[in-house]
Every structure is written in structure tokens, then in C-alpha cells.
Amino acid sequence: MKKECTLIATLPSLNNMQRVQNVFENPHISEVRFNTGVQTPYSIETTLEMLKELSEKWKKVLWIDVKGRQLRVTKWADPLYSCIEINHKIKASCPAEVHFRNGDAVKIMHIKDGNKLFVDPLPRQALGAGQSVNIVDQSLEIEGYLTSKDKQYLNACKQMGLNHIMASFVERFDDLAQILQILPNAQIVSKIESLKGIQFILTYPVPNLMAARDDLYLQTGQNYQMLKHLQTIIQRDNTAICASKIFTSLEKRGTIDLADYADLELMYYMGYRRFMLCDNICNYSFEKAIKAWEEFVNG
């Protein structure tokens, strides 16, 4: 029995509020995360009001996940006919390797106006607004931290007394300071998703960490060193959250691969006790993931 383990769920699309409520009321879920990178049918204020009401009803902590310097596509793009516009201005030495969430890895050949990317070869699929972008290049510089949308969410959180914030791609104290300037009572979980993030927590004592394994694996070279980075995070914070790449076999099939169970056991023996399910799993395979979680904690 692993009674000390807890599970955080990312909320599914707010297009279907019954499914959202199902996540809140599930007894295996201790906390919930709302990803502000996704679109909702409602205003920011209405969205947070609805989620706060459910959070209070089911007595579960609601985490608002702001995107920070995480790069995302800002508008639908067919790269054959248009460039790819992203949410931050950047600088990088071209060609620079870039990964899209659909699995395509291509090269940025030109950057126009700081945020318009021209790539080669062309991605096989069109890219939707909100889709994350990972540029893996040592020369990469991203302008700013909080986006305008982040600031809107944080200001709304201040008005409503919502103080639990997850911050993507934290790499320096100024990232956290920008959040605290808007939301002074924020309790921030720093998502470690890059080599700069790893170096930051090795240099300074930073509380409340998350190993955001999907982006971290891409950003650190997709190699064996990833295990050392995961060890670093849990050594720096023994309450750190292990997030993403959990039960990912469910994205391709209806049953759990042995590798998924082995992964959780490894993270457990490494010291992780808090885990978080990602967007895709909670949107498409939540019930199967919960069943697999039960087997893990009871095994």
C-alpha cells in the first residue's frame, strides 16, 4: 500500500462541465489543476468563478497554471501557406531545432519580427492555437516571462482570493517575483522544464517544485541524464510533484503498458509521493487512468 501517495488531475475541457465535476468529485484526486493555456467558452472571470465554486464544494485545492515563458502557437497555422506565430518574441541562431506537440521535429530557418517562425521541413499537420512549442537550442533567448493572458488570470485570481499558482518554465527568481507583484499571497509551484531551471534550483534553495517531465525531457536532450535531473528535483524538494508522462500508453491503446507501471515504481523509489496527470489523459482516458492508479497505490 502506498497510502502516502496523492494524485493531482488536470481538468478536462470546460466544454463539458459534467466531466469537469467528475474529476473534482473523484475520491482518488486530492488536488486539481486548471491549464490556462487552453481555451474555454467563458470569460476568465466566469471560468475562475465556476472552478472556485467546485473547489469549495469538493474541498480540493485548485491550482491555476500560468504559462510564463512556455512557447505556444498563437493562431491556427498551415505552414505551407503561412509562418508559425508564437506568444513570445525570441532570439536564436538559425537553424534551430523545434518540436511541436504533434511529434514533428523540424528546423527554424528564419525568425521574423521576433515571433514569426519559418521552418523546414514543413510539419506534416497544421498547428492549432495554444499548441506548445519546444525550441531546443543553447542560443535561445525568450523575451519576458508573464504573458498578457497570464496577467489577466493573476489579476482575476487576486480579486477572487485564489492563491495556488503553478508557474511554467521557472528559471530565475524574477519569474516568481513577477507573479508576486500581481498576486502577493501566491503559493507558487515552480515547474522545472529546462536546463536553466535545473541550474537555478542547484544554485538557489527554491521551495515547491514540480518535475514537468514532458518538456524537461525534450529540453534536456532526450537522454539518460533525465534520470539525474529527476533526482536533483526530488533531492532539492522532497515534496516535489512528478508530472506528465504518466500512463501515456493510454494515448495509443486501451490498456496500460508495463513500462507505465515500472515508471511509477521508479519515481516512487526515487522519492516522489505527489503525482499529476496531464491534459490528454484527463481529457480522453481519465477513468482508465484512475483504475491504473488504484492498482499502483494498492499494489
Side-chain angles (χ1 to χ4, degrees), residues 36-139:
T36 63
V38 303
Q39 296 290 333
T40 84
Y42 314 103
S43 69
I44 287 174
E45 291 75 17
T46 299
T47 295
L48 293 181
E49 285 172 359
M50 294 167 66
L51 297 180
K52 181 181 180 182
E53 183 178 335
L54 287 169
S55 171
E56 292 173 346
K57 176 180 179 181
W58 296 104
K59 297 180 172 56
K60 292 181 181 178
V61 172
L62 170 64
W63 292 97
I64 307 301
D65 190 331
V66 296
K67 299 295 94 185
R69 64 171 55 80
Q70 184 178 63
L71 299 177
R72 287 179 174 263
V73 177
T74 57
K75 61 176 66 173
W76 188 92
D78 183 342
L80 180 60
Y81 300 104
S82 63
C83 61
I84 300 163
E85 294 191 32
I86 57 176
N87 59 338
H88 284 277
K89 290 188 176 182
I90 66 168
K91 293 180 181 179
S93 299
C94 296
E97 183 178 335
V98 58
H99 295 255
F100 299 107
R101 187 62 74 183
N102 61 13
D104 283 337
V106 298
K107 297 288 185 181
I108 300 172
M109 306 307 293
H110 302 281
I111 302 172
K112 181 180 179 181
D113 300 332
N115 73 324
K116 299 179 177 69
L117 312 182
F118 294 82
V119 303
D120 184 74
L122 298 178
R124 291 167 294 177
Q125 300 175 6
L127 305 171
Q131 184 173 341
S132 64
V133 177
N134 268 285
I135 299 173
V136 184
D137 192 279
Q138 292 298 316
S139 67

